[in-house]
Amino acid sequence: MISLAGFAKAKRVIANRNYRIYTAGHLCSNLGTWIQRIAVGWLTWQLTDSAAWLGLIAFAELFPNVVVGPIAGAVTDRMDFLRMLRITQALQLLHAIVLTVLTFTGLITIEMLLVLMVLRGVIGAFNRPARMSFVYFLVGREDLSSALALNSVVFNSARFVGPALAGVIIVAGGVSLAFAANALSFLIYLLALRVLDVAPVEKKEKTGRSLLSEAGEGIRYAFSHPGIAPILLILVMTALFVRPYTELLPGFADRVFGRGVDGLALLFSANGLGAMAAGFWLIQRGTITGLSSIVVGNLLVMAFALLAFTSTDSFWLAWPFLVIAGFSLVVQGVSVQTLVQTAVAGEMRGRVIGLYGIVARGCPAIGALVMGGLSERFGLRWPLAAGAIMCLVLWLWARRRERTMAEALEGEAADPPG
């Protein structure tokens, strides 16, 4: 069922000048990020021909969120969100330039790439809570669901188009040209952030406590919350056992389906197409009510989609199952983020969002590392199939807690009757 009210809320969000500028810059940055992701995966495969290295490179970029995330969230609660965004974006631009130079000159090695991905992960750990908190600051609580859904459409439009562009760019000019395109996208985003006309975010008074103390306070708050705690656990489990399938797609493209970089781009585009459709579906909903049930239900959808994907040797039969997996994964991710952002206390926002980033980025790193290693021993299919079965078990657990989560996360934010 299509909701016109949801599109009306989205129209109001788009009418916000600062949000439009921010989103345009964010779209360019996301296109570059997906181009680079394809290039990094393909470069890793060319340098090593190893699924284990694919997992390790993914781990190197994502795992720093676990180490740095709590501190990054505490720093975000102390700083102006926009200032933090500008600083981290400038660092990402510098990182992309270094990667471009190393690959263009042929100096890149797998060890260098590993170190660069660790650095990118550290920068991303500080960027993520600032970026996610800034969206709430731009649109407010009432329009948050629509804004996050629009952000998902932007992100996943890039997720759909970016891999296709990456395939063309890599074939035409190699991975160095792809990294240069990413650097250009970061420059455009940084310029967009510079022309925003927003007042500084008011920060709470200094408490005199250390960053570690404030980070610990945020962790205790999240895990004592009756709604945030269980829904973060769901995110942890899916991030460990489901999300890593994207990092193994270069191996599937080559070994399972016998395709080259064009096949890899098509697999990522299938994932992105489903994700983009998920964003449009969430936009038309336009409400937080019922999101807890959607999070639980998508555990079942994700499990069956991945089981089907791993059970076929046909590229074009596997393709639509990847579309479904991409749809389900994004519906769940955006729903969890919306619920957490709506339920969290304002003074805890940066720290809890930092914790969300630890789960959303760090846990897939661990999962990718483990699944990459298992794939070396058991092949690419069985680790993903086992992850899908774990997702089914998680669905059975979550079904029993669905009502309690909904009351804690949606109670104050639910739309009034009539």
Side-chain angles (χ1 to χ4, degrees):
M1 183 176 179
I2 302 298
S3 169
L4 295 179
F7 286 116
K9 285 186 177 182
K11 183 179 179 181
R12 185 168 64 223
V13 171
I14 294 172
N16 183 321
R17 172 189 174 273
N18 286 318
Y19 180 83
R20 289 199 309 273
I21 294 173
Y22 168 82
T23 302
H26 195 209
L27 173 60
C28 291
S29 176
N30 278 322
L31 278 170
T33 296
W34 279 103
I35 290 171
Q36 174 164 299
R37 183 167 294 182
I38 297 294
V40 167
W42 194 247
L43 178 61
T44 301
W45 191 254
Q46 285 183 321
L47 291 172
T48 66
D49 195 34
S50 168
W53 268 106
L54 287 174
L56 184 58
I57 290 295
F59 177 85
E61 180 181 356
L62 301 180
F63 189 72
N65 285 271
V66 176
V67 179
V68 182
I71 299 298
V75 171
T76 300
D77 277 333
R78 291 185 176 189
M79 287 185 64
D80 177 82
F81 299 143
L82 182 55
R83 184 184 175 200
M84 176 77 85
L85 270 177
R86 287 170 174 168
I87 292 172
T88 54
Q89 198 61 36
L91 291 173
Q92 287 182 324
L93 171 60
L94 179 61
H95 180 277
I97 291 172
V98 170
L99 193 52
T100 301
V101 172
L102 286 175
T103 51
F104 181 76
T105 57
L107 296 175
I108 192 71
T109 64
I110 192 62
E111 292 79 14
M112 287 182 183
L113 186 61
L114 182 67
V115 172
L116 285 169
M117 290 303 103
V118 170
L119 292 175
R120 179 171 169 80
V122 172
I123 298 169
F126 283 90
N127 177 270
R128 190 179 186 90
R131 174 168 48 82
M132 294 170 67
S133 299
F134 188 62
V135 172
Y136 184 94
F137 172 70
L138 282 178
V139 303
R141 180 189 182 96
E142 183 180 356
D143 291 330
L144 179 64
S145 178
S146 295
L148 291 180
L150 282 166
N151 280 0
S152 176
V153 170
V154 168
F155 178 80
N156 290 300
S157 296
R159 192 178 190 177
F160 177 64
V161 176
L165 285 176
V168 173
I169 292 171
I170 292 172
V171 169
V175 292
S176 60
L177 185 59
F179 294 139
N182 183 44
L184 177 61
S185 75
F186 282 147
L187 177 61
I188 293 171
Y189 188 26
L190 185 58
L191 292 174
L193 292 175
R194 288 291 178 185
V195 300
L196 291 177
D197 182 20
V198 295
V201 179
E202 293 184 6
K203 291 297 170 184
K204 64 181 182 180
E205 295 181 1
K206 293 183 179 180
T207 63
R209 298 197 305 273
S210 68
L211 283 172
L212 283 175
S213 175
E214 291 187 4
E217 183 184 19
I219 293 172
R220 289 191 297 273
Y221 170 85
F223 284 103
S224 64
H225 194 286
I228 293 176
I231 208 160
L232 282 180
L233 179 59
I234 290 175
L235 190 62
V236 166
M237 298 300 287
T238 54
L240 284 172
F241 296 110
V242 176
R243 168 65 177 77
Y245 77 85
T246 58
E247 273 70 43
L248 298 180
L249 288 181
F252 271 89
D254 185 22
R255 288 186 183 173
V256 176
F257 301 120
R259 306 288 291 258
V261 68
D262 61 327
L264 175 60
L266 284 170
L267 289 179
F268 269 101
S269 292
N271 210 40
L273 178 61
M276 188 167 56
F280 281 112
W281 184 76
L282 288 166
I283 285 174
Q284 63 82 31
R285 286 193 83 253
T287 177
I288 193 174
T289 306
L291 286 183
S292 299
S293 297
I294 288 171
V295 168
V296 174
N298 269 279
L299 293 172
L300 190 62
V301 177
M302 281 189 288
F304 281 114
L306 285 182
L307 284 172
F309 175 76
T310 58
S311 66
T312 179
D313 293 320
S314 169
F315 180 85
W316 291 112
L317 186 57
W319 199 86
F321 292 125
L322 210 54
V323 173
I324 295 171
F327 178 93
S328 182
L329 196 64
V330 167
V331 165
Q332 189 195 64
V334 173
S335 298
V336 169
Q337 184 187 154
T338 302
L339 289 166
V340 169
Q341 286 240 45
T342 305
V344 69
E347 67 274 14
M348 293 286 180
R349 184 170 305 280
R351 280 166 282 182
V352 173
I353 294 302
L355 186 60
Y356 173 95
I358 291 173
V359 173
R361 301 289 289 171
C363 288
I366 298 172
L369 183 64
V370 172
M371 285 195 174
L374 291 174
S375 295
E376 289 290 291
R377 182 176 178 83
F378 301 106
L380 289 160
R381 299 176 188 271
W382 288 108
L384 283 188
I389 293 171
M390 288 297 298
C391 196
L392 285 174
V393 174
L394 180 62
W395 172 73
L396 293 172
W397 174 86
R399 282 282 295 169
R400 301 178 60 184
R401 292 156 179 81
E402 185 177 323
R403 180 174 295 182
T404 301
M405 285 192 301
E407 290 173 354
L409 294 167
E410 301 173 25
E412 296 181 2
D415 290 346

